[in-house]
Amino acid sequence: MGSLTQTETITAENVLHLFPDIDTSLARTLEGNNELEGYDEEQIRLMDEVCIVLDRDDKPIGSASKKVCHLMQNIDKGLLHRAFSVFLFDSQNRLLLQQRASEKITFPDMWTNTCCSHPLGVPGETGSELEAAVLGVKRAAQRKLGHELGIKAEQVPLEKFDFLTRIHYKAPSDGKWGEHEIDYILFIKANVDLDINPNEARDTKYVSEDDLKTMFQDNSLKFTPWFKLICQSTLFEWWKHLDSGLDKYKGETEIRRM
C-alpha cells in the first residue's frame, strides 16, 4: 500500500483510498447536522441514538440514527423503526401521563402516556422473533422510565411489564419531523417515586378514565398521535380489565395497522 507524500494534499479521496477501513458515518452525520440547528443540545445528542430499522412485519433490517428515522423525507420513503409505549397505573388504577418537554424535537409540549421511546440497536434491546423483541422492549422501557421520570428499576422490574400488542402507525410532527413506528404496548401496575427529568417532561399527572376523557374535551390541550390512536381504539377497554380479564388481551401476535 502506498503512502501520502509530503507534496500530496490530504483529501478525503486520498485518505479513503489509502485507508479503506475508515468508517465515514461520522462525516455524513456532521454534514447533516444543519437540520438540527436551533434545537436543545441534549435533544440533539439523543438524536445520535441508534434505532432498529424494520420491515413491515417487524423484522429487523439494520439500524439508523434517531435523526434519520424521524425525518419526514425518509419516513415518506418507507423508513420504519421499532418503538414502545408504556402505560403505568398506580394502585388506584390511575394512569400516569406525562407532558413532553418544550425541548423535545418531535411533538413538544404534548400530553401522552407514561413513557414513549425506542429500543436501541444494541445487544439486549434488539430481537428478531417476537419473544426476544418483547424482552428487548421491556429492557428499553425500564431504562427510559429511569431517564425520563427518574423511576428506579427495582420499582418497575421486567417481570411486571405486560406486553399487549403492536401497532403500526405513521404521523407527522411538523414539516420536517415525524414518526413511523411499530409500537409495542406495555402495561405495568406499580407505585413509583418520580424524579422528573425536565429536559424530557415538563409535567406529569395521574388520571382516572373519566379524568382522561375530560382532558380530551379541552381544546387547549394537545396529545401525541400514537396516544390518541390507542385511546380511540382499545385503551379504555383494556383499562376496564386491568385487575380482571387482562390476560385475554396479552401477547397478541398480529400487528394492528392504524
Side-chain angles (χ1 to χ4, degrees), residues 32-56:
N33 272 351
N34 61 320
E35 290 153 337
L36 292 168
E37 286 182 9
Y39 289 105
D40 175 79
E41 288 185 10
E42 174 61 10
Q43 292 298 321
I44 291 174
R45 184 188 69 79
L46 292 172
M47 278 295 199
D48 287 335
E49 290 185 334
V50 177
C51 293
I52 302 166
V53 175
L54 307 169
D55 68 11
R56 192 174 185 273

Side-chain angles (χ1 to χ4, degrees), residues 10-98:
I10 298 175
T11 66
E13 183 179 2
N14 289 340
V15 171
L16 290 173
H17 174 71
L18 292 170
F19 307 102
D21 292 335
I22 289 177
D23 182 351
T24 60
S25 59
L26 173 62
R28 293 195 301 272
T29 298
L30 294 173
E31 287 173 0
N33 272 351
N34 61 320
E35 290 153 337
L36 292 168
E37 286 182 9
Y39 289 105
D40 175 79
E41 288 185 10
E42 174 61 10
Q43 292 298 321
I44 291 174
R45 184 188 69 79
L46 292 172
M47 278 295 199
D48 287 335
E49 290 185 334
V50 177
C51 293
I52 302 166
V53 175
L54 307 169
D55 68 11
R56 192 174 185 273
D57 296 318
D58 193 29
K59 297 297 184 183
I61 299 170
S63 61
S65 72
K66 184 177 173 184
K67 185 192 85 170
V68 167
C69 288
H70 288 81
L71 283 167
M72 280 306 301
Q73 65 187 32
N74 298 331
I75 290 170
D76 286 338
K77 295 174 184 175
L79 193 61
L80 174 67
H81 63 278
R82 185 174 289 165
F84 64 84
S85 288
V86 174
F87 292 76
L88 185 148
F89 301 86
D90 67 5
S91 57
Q92 301 176 53
N93 286 356
R94 297 179 304 170
L95 172 62
L96 178 61
L97 304 183
Q98 71 157 274

